[in-house]
Amino acid sequence: MRAKDRRGARHPQLASDPVVHDLEALLGDRVRVDGAERSLLSRDASVFSGGRAGPVCFPLSTEEVQGIVKIAARHRRNVVARGAGTGLAGAAIPLGAPIVVVTTRMNRIRSVEIEDRLAWVEPGVINLDLSKQLRPLGFHYAPDPSSQQACTIGGNISTNSGGPHCLAYGVTSEHILCLEVVGADGEVMVLGGLDAEPAGLDLRGAFVGGEGMLGIVTAAAVRITANPPAVRTLLLGFSTPREAAATVSAVIAAGIVPAAMEVMDREITRAVENFVHAGYPLDAGAVLLAEVDGTEQGSAIDAEVIARIGKEHGATSIRTAEDAEARDRLWKGRKTAFGAIAQIAPAYYLHDTVVPRAALASVLEQVYAIAERFGLLVVNVFHAGDGNLHPLLLFDPDEAGVLERVHGAAAEIVRASLAAGGALSGEHGIGIEKQEFMSEMFGPDDLDHQARLRRGFDPWCRLNPGKVLPSAHSCADLSELARAGEGIWA
Amino acid sequence: MSVTVDRELVSFCAEVGATGPVAVRGAGTRFEVGGPLAPETRVVAAPAGIREYRPEEMTVTVLAGTPVAELHAALSAAGQRSALAERGGTVGGALALGEDDLRVLARGKVRNSVLQLRYVSADGVLVKVGAPTVKNVSGFDVGRLMVGALGTLGLLAEAVLRTRPTPAVARWWCGEGIDPCAVRDLARSASVVLFDGTTTTLQLEGHEVDVDADLVALGRLGAFRACEGPPPLPPHRWSLRPSELLRLDGHATGSYVASIGVGTVFADRPQARREPPAAVRAVAARLKAEFDPSGRLSPGRDLLAAH
Ligand SMILES: Cc1cc2nc3c(=O)[nH]c(=O)nc-3n(C[C@H](O)[C@H](O)[C@H](O)COP(=O)(O)OP(=O)(O)OC[C@H]3O[C@@H](n4cnc5c(N)ncnc54)[C@H](O)[C@@H]3O)c2cc1C
Ligand SMILES: Cc1cc2nc3c(=O)[nH]c(=O)nc-3n(C[C@H](O)[C@H](O)[C@H](O)COP(=O)(O)OP(=O)(O)OC[C@H]3O[C@@H](n4cnc5c(N)ncnc54)[C@H](O)[C@@H]3O)c2cc1C
């Protein structure tokens, strides 16, 4: 087998790279070096560019991933793991022509073990597919990112993904019992365990959210959650986002942790309604989608309290989904909100910061003001229950200089969130997007300790170098990475 | 940056210093776990007190030396609680140990309840990891390493913990000759189901209607009576898979109380040492060398020793 592109043409220069030779010996034609494949994989779903992929590998097994990392170690090459590429922080963007390991073909559910309430899955399993497979058994996989139709469990683990239902059920980390990973030296390790309190340091916990820099996930034991007997979904309309946000805080203060509490502002609600016709109120300044689950009676009590609190905070309309179909339609609206944006603008930058719930309304107002100052349209759809903001900055990529304004507004939104006592990211991660903002949230000693964690897992700076940690604390030389592979892998 | 370093934290840093073996003693309720400290170890105390409690955020900022009971007294004033076990110890001790409360099904795991930590590093510097918000993925999750590390990677000074509303009703029930796994499957509102080979003991929590409904449903499995609380727990803590409880070997454990659906077993005899494989030990050793190069933090403590 030789380095060929899809049309079968030889790439003599690329084939002369000895790492390609070794990878082909391991994987045959599941190594790709053609320009089309590599340029596709040089980006993720973010607005960031500057990636350069080296050879792209599609392993089928843990042993093959191990073989790839050992080859990389031997040739002193870097390795970047990649799932579906739906990440929004640029974490999967390959810097410096590394070997790219795409895990989408490792997509088997190895077993479902009801007695232990777990499933062993490979990293390429699509998030929603897992829940679909579990449904007949009466279970689901709780973390439900809006991208769940496309993103992989491996990507979810490495970004510690959230989703609407993580408010009550917890983010990805709470649902990962045990990980099989290939470490930076090519050794296969099992982190965590299936027992109640695995012995030793919590390496599993430290690994989750590692953005591909701590190891490559080849299998995971994930917790499966019993489907609740009753679910109630409420849709509350308000005249302003401030009232919706105040309702969210008041619900929590009343001692209720709903399964989900999501807010959408006027613009996005209209776009969504045009898209799914779920009965979202077109005249509302903001809507709150709140879901409670549990027993028939218990969830009814909680739903009543939420409706009452909504009324007290000026809700202009309150609707309860009559049946499962109406509920699914409402959720479809929320989960396809980003797709619906296409009606408003050709492109968007989806932002992600967290603030204390009490600061939601005031930071939101700042977000609108910032966008206006930069001459951009912003719409908001967010995990209000967690204080997790998702401003979408809309733009036309053909407009000259627009990206600078987008990045300028994004930076100010980050600073407004930090000033309110918040965090850089709630679920998308740092990647290259917020790398240099890390120093605004953490001091040098704090960052030094994050770098120590990274070195403990990967002292060779081999896995996905140049991400997360700002340049002063990174093991990688970012400008050198930008130049690496300029010759043949350009 | 909003690092407000104050007097208590600064003086804790100074006390820990940058040289010589050192460990923290909390209330001393579990001080023997992990084996004895090296004899020359200096033992210090972490500062105590509740910093900031924000019930509407479901977060509390607390200094590590605070007794868990004091924390819970403050939280209960707003109808909330934390995931930490209240057995006479301190917040720092509970985090350094990382063991879950008996009622973990309802209270959540200790390690998931930690949002932000400040600890004193081996070189005597105050380090912050995590964020005070209920959701955060800003950088590597160093806090996860600290929970359950028995003070071997850093000495805990302050934590921001997630709090949870306390349910309206909590009641204990027990009965004999009842399949505890069937109880666990049936009772959605169970915060714990315990089985000692004869008696099944459980706590139901939630809305009164839900607890009542569960109790009616449980009636199909056998006769339950109200009881005061959990049975006395044997001293050693085992960690098994939930499915392993079905085949529990009474010879190995001696008398036992097993937590159904969780996998924790309280037993008369200690569990055999659980040694991770070499590749995992290598990462753990590298992390220890990164965070505590001179080995001065809680020397002598062995994380793999039986509890
Ligand atoms: C429309 C839209 C909506 C979204 N909504 C949400 C949301 O609600 N919540 C949320 O959390 N995110 C959301 N995201 C972001 C994204 O979907 C998540 O971050 C997701 O977890 C990424 O998964 P992926 O398979 O696409 O990973 P990729 O983008 O391919 O990779 C992400 C990171 O994971 C690493 N990685 C991937 N696979 C592995 C592996 N096997 N081993 C080690 N590292 C690996 C990569 O190196 C990279 O660092 C959204 C994205 C889009 C486009
Ligand atoms: C018989 C008995 C059984 C118990 N069972 C459980 C149980 O099952 N689950 C449970 O959660 N709790 C249990 N506890 C409660 C236990 O007391 C707590 O978890 C607890 O809070 C320990 O705190 P302490 O202050 O007593 O810790 P100590 O006994 O003082 O210390 C315990 C360990 O933590 C280290 N440490 C203490 N503070 C710090 C700090 N600030 N930084 C770094 N390291 C520190 C110590 O060096 C030591 O290694 C039990 C208590 C008793 C008496």
Side-chain angles (χ1 to χ4, degrees), chain A residues 66-131:
Chain A
Q66 178 171 37
I68 295 167
V69 177
K70 292 215 155 150
I71 289 170
R74 206 159 54 234
H75 292 274
R76 296 178 186 283
R77 297 290 278 266
N78 299 332
V79 182
V80 174
R82 183 184 179 93
T86 68
L88 289 167
I93 292 180
L95 301 178
I99 300 170
V100 177
V101 178
V102 185
T103 54
T104 48
R105 295 198 194 170
M106 296 174 67
N107 60 357
R108 284 181 317 141
I109 296 174
R110 288 188 185 166
S111 64
V112 177
E113 301 172 27
I114 298 287
E115 199 56 56
D116 285 320
R117 300 283 197 273
L118 67 86
W120 270 105
V121 302
E122 293 181 347
V125 169
I126 305 285
N127 175 298
L128 187 60
D129 288 351
L130 177 57
S131 282

Side-chain angles (χ1 to χ4, degrees), chain A residues 44-45 80-88 91-92 103 123 144-147 150-164 207 211-212 215-218 334 338 348 350 383 390 427-428 464:
Chain A
D44 63 0
V80 174
R82 183 184 179 93
T86 68
L88 289 167
T103 54
D144 59 341
S146 307
S147 51
C151 63
T152 66
I153 299 291
N156 292 170
I157 290 167
S158 298
T159 53
N160 195 9
S161 280
F207 184 96
E211 303 201 21
I216 301 182
V217 180
T218 52
R334 166 60 185 89
F338 305 124
Y348 61 80
L350 173 48
H383 310 305
H390 278 332
E427 51 183 32
H428 297 167
N464 203 7

Side-chain angles (χ1 to χ4, degrees), chain A residues 113 115-117 159-160 173-174 189-190 194-206 210 213 228-229 252 255 257 295 297-298 301-302 354-358 383 386 388 421-427 429-430 438-443 445-446 449-450 452-457 459-460 468-469, chain B residues 1 54-58 98-100 109 111-112 119 121 123 125-142 144-145 147-149 153 162 164-165 181 184-185 188 207 209-210 213 237 239-243 246 262-264 274 279-280 283-284 286-287 290-291 293 303-304:
Chain A
E113 301 172 27
E115 199 56 56
D116 285 320
R117 300 283 197 273
T159 53
N160 195 9
S173 183
E174 299 197 23
M189 304 182 277
V190 174
L194 306 180
D195 55 324
E197 293 173 321
L201 291 179
D202 184 12
L203 301 183
R204 173 213 62 86
M213 297 169 75
I252 298 287
V257 183
T295 59
Q297 290 168 303
I301 295 174
D302 291 342
V354 196
V355 297
R357 274 178 283 253
H383 310 305
D386 293 320
N388 191 178
L424 291 177
S425 169
E427 51 183 32
I430 301 300
M438 286 285 276
S439 320
E440 298 189 29
M441 179 166 165
F442 296 105
D445 294 321
D446 310 337
H449 274 227
Q450 293 201 20
R452 290 176 197 228
L453 184 150
R454 149 79 157 161
R455 281 201 299 273
F457 280 92
W460 305 278
V468 179
L469 295 170
Chain B
M1 225 176 317
R54 305 179 72 180
E56 74 292 351
E57 298 297 330
M58 295 197 298
E99 291 176 353
D100 294 322
K109 294 184 76 61
R111 52 189 82 246
N112 292 336
Y119 57 85
S121 71
D123 38 11
V125 169
L126 193 66
V127 175
K128 180 186 77 172
V129 294
T133 48
V134 292
K135 208 171 175 188
N136 166 46
V137 290
S138 309
F140 300 120
D141 211 345
V142 180
R144 295 274 175 176
L145 286 179
V147 178
L153 301 180
R162 183 196 291 281
R164 290 280 181 189
C181 297
R184 161 84 182 101
D185 288 346
R188 279 188 60 86
H207 289 299
V209 282
D210 288 346
R237 194 176 174 107
S239 175
L240 300 175
R241 289 174 66 155
S243 58
L246 302 173
V262 176
T264 304
R274 294 173 288 156
V280 175
V283 175
R286 282 203 300 265
L287 287 165
E290 284 289 346
F291 283 90
L303 297 188
L304 303 176

Side-chain angles (χ1 to χ4, degrees), chain A residues 352-371:
Chain A
D352 166 48
T353 67
V354 196
V355 297
R357 274 178 283 253
L360 268 176
S362 73
V363 175
L364 258 182
E365 278 157 16
Q366 294 179 57
V367 166
Y368 289 114
I370 291 167

Side-chain angles (χ1 to χ4, degrees), chain B residues 41-59:
Chain B
T41 307
R42 199 158 46 86
V43 175
V44 300
I50 294 169
R51 279 302 177 78
E52 188 184 20
Y53 175 30
R54 305 179 72 180
E56 74 292 351
E57 298 297 330
M58 295 197 298
T59 60

Side-chain angles (χ1 to χ4, degrees), chain A residues 172-237:
Chain A
T172 298
S173 183
E174 299 197 23
H175 301 272
I176 305 301
L177 298 167
C178 188
L179 291 168
E180 178 192 273
V181 310
V182 172
D185 53 357
E187 291 301 316
V188 180
M189 304 182 277
V190 174
L191 309 179
L194 306 180
D195 55 324
E197 293 173 321
L201 291 179
D202 184 12
L203 301 183
R204 173 213 62 86
F207 184 96
V208 174
E211 303 201 21
M213 297 169 75
L214 307 179
I216 301 182
V217 180
T218 52
V222 305
R223 191 187 294 284
I224 60 175
T225 303
N227 296 340
V231 181
R232 275 166 218 272
T233 308
L234 285 86
L235 180 66
L236 296 91

Side-chain angles (χ1 to χ4, degrees), chain B residues 24 26-31 85 87 89-90 93-94 96 99-100 156 237 301:
Chain B
V24 176
T29 63
R30 299 280 273 164
F31 205 62
R87 298 280 296 270
T90 61
E99 291 176 353
D100 294 322
L156 308 177
R237 194 176 174 107
R301 295 281 199 240

